[in-house]
Amino acid sequence: MNINALEKVALSVRTLSMDAIQKAKSGHPGLPLGAAELAAVLYGEILKHNPANSKWADRDRFVLSAGHGSMLLYSILHLSGYKLSLDDIKSFRQIGSKCPGHPEAGATDGVEATTGPLGQGVSMAVGMALAESMLAAHFNTPEYKVVDHYTYALVGEGCLMEGVSSEASSFAGTNKLGKLIVFYDENYITIDGSTNLAFTEDIAKRYEAYGWQVLRGSMYDMEGIAKLVAEAKKDTDKPSLIMLKSTIGKGCPLVAGTAKAHGAPLGPEGIEAARKELGVPADADFYIAPEAVSYFNEKKPVFAAAEAEWKKTFDAWAAKYPEKKAEWDAWYADKPTGKAEFPVYNIGDSLATRNASGAALTAVTNEYSNLVGGSADLQGPNVTKNGTKDYNPENRDGRYIRFGIREFAMAAICNGIALHGALRPFCATFAVFADYLRPALRLSALMKVPVIYILTHDSIYVGEDGPTHEPIETISALRAMPNVQVLRPADAEESVEAWKIAADTKDKPTCLAFTRQNLPVFEKEDPDWRNTIRCGAYIVKKGGDKPDVTVLASGSEVSLALAAAQLVTGKTVRIVSVMDRELFKSQPATLRNTIIGGAKRVVAAEAGTKMGWEGLATDESCLFCIDRFGESGPYAKVAEAMGFTAENLAKVLKG
């Protein structure tokens, strides 16, 4: 290990970081200054990676969970040879920059995950380690290890305060994810000051209780860090937390060790003091030590050789196991490896859409052998047991994941699985508990990863569990999030189509909302409805070429609308099932008008808040929705008590 060269790498990380932040007049210099040595030794000596190919399948992953310290990552990516130029560094936090304020997957070569919302990064790292263990169990053979890499993350106090990291760390310990190594930047400082203001527990004991191996060292002992990583790797049954004592803002004497270093540029005086302390020329903007450049130039063939050696192993494996190679290609392309046999339903069949979802999930599982997932301790109510074996430390090749009652971590872990590649994740809970996982769903949308969210018990028809479990605003809130596909099917047949759409969607997460109560399979007058529904809505009951009233209904309210229409005399009523409201709203006006049929009055019916339906319904009087919390009782009685009945909808239709 060339300590002198690595020290120059760490120096260059500091200078690039502080100058980029100063130029942007915005950013967080404390972490890059305080953890530069870790970046240097990690990317120079520890990681199995090849900057010339950031998508090498068997590379080690690194997630900067403390994403506010993004310049640490950008600096070391530039220095080590990833496709990130010095001009990119100089445009930190500017519009269109490859160096956004917090790391974004897809925006910057070498960035594995979008981080910044604290705690989610390490939780996604758990998902990546989980994916590695699944793929290793499935593809490795006695002679060849084509999947054999580690997942690393860097966390700060903020990550460990956020509850999602506790959920994910508990999951990782329970599942003995021994190839997960997390570094803890132990500097005892947050924005408000010392961590003692709000954070006093014994982190080591906490992680030992989770089932982790806990090791300690100094952020500034690079040989020591390498030895700690080697020690961590010896325990294959425990993830490792390596606690590294550090000084926030190290190198700038005006702010080092204080909260002032955390979230603001150093300022001209701070930059001047830092350059003097670090021994670089006073006028050396964006200084890079020549020794750092030479070091990584010498490393280029070493990095390339690591990938080339793996490629030799991979090619030999592929030649001996062509069926596995074909499956590998399909998994990484997210293509079917089998044929789905979806259930067929008859008009008049009655079943909850959650049950129809369960049958469709099993079909999709048979079609996509890379589909993995589970629920937040709600396998029965969510109907998610799909005929696959459980994943656990004794069976890494299992496809059903027991997430436990950890909705937020469940979703973040699924993001990590999706980001890793080769596996397609789903997760499930009650619709109302989407609020627990919402921040991770937001990152799914931002990162454009196709995680499938199964959300059952989708309305007041939950019944006896009462208003705490009866979603009112939930579906509307999910629809309000950009790049989230929300599908609320109206019967078993639509549920099958919803699953097909979810499986076909590759660039965004999908939320599937299903009922607890039984719904009838109804006749559909659009003969091509299975294709039309991909526009977001289709005609269930035509009601003539120019209906008097058109009802736009979603989910269980389509059946309610059909029942209400039978109570209306003297007017023609068209019923439209709107499975994907936001997609329907985005269609050209001519298409929307064709489906609506030019009706004088358009009524929207949904057992939830009216938010978002206003632009489709004719006026306020045409919104048959619910803008109050529910009641506890048998679901039919709850609907009656809240006035949400076919009779009352019929009154609205009559006008």
Side-chain angles (χ1 to χ4, degrees):
M1 184 182 296
N2 188 338
I3 293 297
N4 180 63
L6 287 171
E7 286 175 347
K8 296 300 184 181
V9 172
L11 169 66
S12 303
V13 168
R14 288 191 169 95
T15 52
L16 289 176
S17 296
M18 68 188 195
D19 287 349
I21 292 166
Q22 184 64 27
K23 186 174 186 292
K25 298 181 174 62
S26 175
H28 299 73
L31 186 146
L33 291 173
E37 279 77 5
L38 173 63
V41 72
L42 186 64
Y43 276 77
E45 300 290 332
I46 295 172
L47 284 183
K48 181 177 72 172
H49 67 136
N50 182 11
N53 178 15
S54 63
K55 300 303 180 185
W56 172 21
D58 200 42
R59 68 191 181 278
D60 287 344
R61 270 69 169 174
F62 172 70
V63 178
L64 180 64
S65 188
H68 55 275
S70 56
M71 272 309 309
L72 175 86
L73 182 55
Y74 300 147
S75 297
I76 196 63
L77 289 175
H78 168 68
L79 292 168
S80 59
Y82 286 84
K83 296 177 182 67
L84 193 67
S85 70
L86 187 58
D87 285 339
D88 293 327
I89 297 286
K90 291 179 179 180
S91 64
F92 175 58
R93 290 197 165 206
Q94 305 308 304
I95 298 295
S97 172
K98 291 182 181 179
C99 297
H102 293 82
E104 295 180 23
T108 313
D109 190 46
V111 170
E112 300 284 2
T114 298
T115 58
L118 294 177
Q120 289 202 58
V122 67
S123 303
M124 287 187 277
V126 171
M128 293 176 186
L130 175 66
E132 192 275 346
S133 70
M134 287 181 153
L135 294 171
H138 191 79
F139 286 112
N140 288 350
T141 64
E143 319 97 297
Y144 304 109
K145 283 188 175 182
V146 292
V147 181
D148 185 18
H149 55 267
Y150 284 80
T151 302
Y152 299 89
L154 173 60
V155 301
E157 278 87 1
C159 291
L160 300 187
M161 289 190 208
E162 290 288 356
V164 66
S165 66
S166 298
E167 294 179 26
S169 297
S170 173
F171 175 91
T174 299
N175 285 281
K176 300 182 179 180
L177 297 178
K179 297 181 83 170
L180 172 65
I181 298 174
V182 176
F183 302 102
Y184 170 26
D185 180 18
E186 192 179 7
N187 61 43
Y188 303 107
I189 295 292
T190 58
I191 290 176
D192 282 355
S194 169
T195 54
N196 289 331
L197 293 171
F199 187 58
T200 59
E201 67 258 36
D202 188 323
I203 294 299
K205 288 182 179 178
R206 176 174 141 193
Y207 269 80
E208 286 168 355
Y210 291 148
W212 288 52
Q213 173 182 216
V214 177
L215 305 171
R216 290 179 170 86
S218 166
M219 186 69 78
Y220 310 116
D221 178 2
M222 289 184 280
E223 287 184 329
I225 291 172
K227 289 177 181 177
L228 288 171
V229 170
E231 186 177 347
K233 290 181 177 181
K234 291 177 183 177
D235 193 333
T236 58
D237 285 337
K238 291 181 179 180
S240 295
L241 181 72
I242 300 178
M243 303 174 67
L244 299 174
K245 288 193 179 296
S246 67
T247 300
I248 192 170
K250 182 177 174 62
C252 180
L254 300 188
V255 300
T258 73
K260 293 179 182 179
H262 186 280
L266 299 181
E269 290 184 0
I271 294 290
E272 182 181 358
R275 287 177 181 166
K276 184 176 180 180
E277 178 84 4
L278 296 171
V280 301
D283 59 349
D285 284 353
F286 296 93
Y287 175 80
I288 297 175
E291 297 91 338
V293 175
S294 298
Y295 173 81
F296 278 115
N297 282 338
E298 292 172 5
K299 281 288 182 178
K300 284 181 182 178
V302 178
F303 294 148
E307 182 180 1
E309 186 64 28
W310 173 83
K311 186 67 165 56
K312 283 174 56 180
T313 300
F314 183 84
D315 289 345
W317 167 84
K320 186 166 184 178
Y321 299 98
E323 291 182 0
K324 282 184 177 289
K325 172 59 163 59
E327 193 172 39
W328 173 286
D329 291 342
W331 284 26
Y332 273 93
D334 198 14
K335 291 182 177 179
T337 53
K339 183 172 178 57
E341 294 185 7
F342 289 100
V344 176
Y345 299 99
N346 299 310
I347 304 303
D349 288 348
S350 180
L351 69 160
T353 56
R354 63 170 172 164
N355 290 329
S357 166
L361 169 60
T362 298
V364 174
T365 300
N366 292 333
E367 183 180 21
Y368 288 85
S369 55
N370 67 330
L371 185 71
V372 301
S375 82
D377 197 54
L378 292 169
Q379 174 193 300
N382 291 150
V383 195
T384 51
K385 189 58 176 169
N386 53 2
T388 61
K389 293 180 180 179
D390 283 4
Y391 171 91
N392 55 51
E394 289 71 45
N395 182 32
R396 300 294 192 189
D397 201 21
R399 295 171 62 187
Y400 191 83
I401 303 169
R402 302 285 183 176
F403 287 109
I405 307 166
R406 306 181 180 103
E407 290 88 355
F408 193 174
M410 171 180 71
I413 289 167
C414 283
N415 282 339
I417 293 172
L419 288 167
H420 182 280
L423 296 173
R424 180 74 174 276
F426 72 88
C427 58
T429 187
F430 289 166
V432 76
F433 298 142
D435 286 343
Y436 281 158
L437 59 78
R438 186 179 175 87
L441 170 61
R442 188 175 189 273
L443 283 190
S444 299
L446 189 59
M447 297 186 295
K448 301 179 182 179
V449 292
V451 177
I452 298 173
Y453 292 84
I454 302 169
L455 304 172
T456 67
H457 299 59
D458 70 341
S459 72
I460 60 167
Y461 296 106
V462 169
E464 291 86 351
D465 279 335
T468 60
H469 284 54
E470 295 167 8
I472 297 296
E473 79 294 348
T474 306
I475 303 299
S476 292
L478 294 173
R479 290 177 179 140
M481 196 180 296
N483 203 45
V484 175
Q485 179 173 248
V486 181
L487 307 180
R488 190 168 181 244
D491 70 358
E493 288 188 321
E494 283 194 20
S495 298
V496 169
E497 299 310 310
W499 262 104
K500 291 179 181 178
I501 292 170
D504 290 343
T505 300
K506 310 297 184 184
D507 61 350
K508 67 185 69 171
T510 300
C511 293
L512 300 170
F514 297 114
T515 68
R516 178 195 186 197
Q517 79 278 17
N518 288 350
L519 295 176
V521 176
F522 48 78
E523 186 175 358
K524 300 159 180 69
E525 294 190 4
D526 179 353
D528 195 32
W529 72 271
R530 286 184 171 84
N531 288 321
T532 311
I533 202 172
R534 290 179 176 257
C535 299
Y538 70 97
I539 299 169
V540 174
K541 177 180 170 60
K542 191 174 182 181
D545 291 333
K546 292 185 177 180
D548 296 312
V549 183
T550 293
V551 185
L552 302 178
S554 82
S556 52
E557 287 66 75
V558 175
S559 294
L560 187 75
L562 288 167
Q566 293 181 346
L567 303 177
V568 177
T569 57
K571 289 187 176 183
T572 53
V573 179
R574 174 170 293 189
I575 309 296
V576 174
S577 176
V578 185
M579 188 169 75
D580 186 339
R581 190 187 72 185
E582 299 311 297
L583 178 60
F584 180 59
K585 288 169 69 174
S586 73
Q587 297 298 337
T590 51
L591 176 57
R592 292 200 313 271
N593 292 336
T594 297
I595 291 175
I596 291 172
K600 295 179 181 178
R601 294 180 68 240
V602 179
V603 173
E606 185 169 62
T609 181
K610 63 177 178 287
M611 184 178 75
W613 288 105
E614 300 95 335
L616 292 170
T618 301
D619 54 39
E620 187 78 14
S621 69
C622 294
L623 293 167
F624 191 70
C625 300
I626 299 173
D627 282 318
R628 51 155 288 197
F629 292 119
E631 302 282 351
S632 181
Y635 74 85
K637 295 291 185 181
V638 170
E640 184 179 347
M642 300 183 72
F644 207 76
T645 63
E647 290 77 13
N648 284 338
L649 177 54
K651 292 176 183 178
V652 175
L653 300 183
K654 292 173 184 177

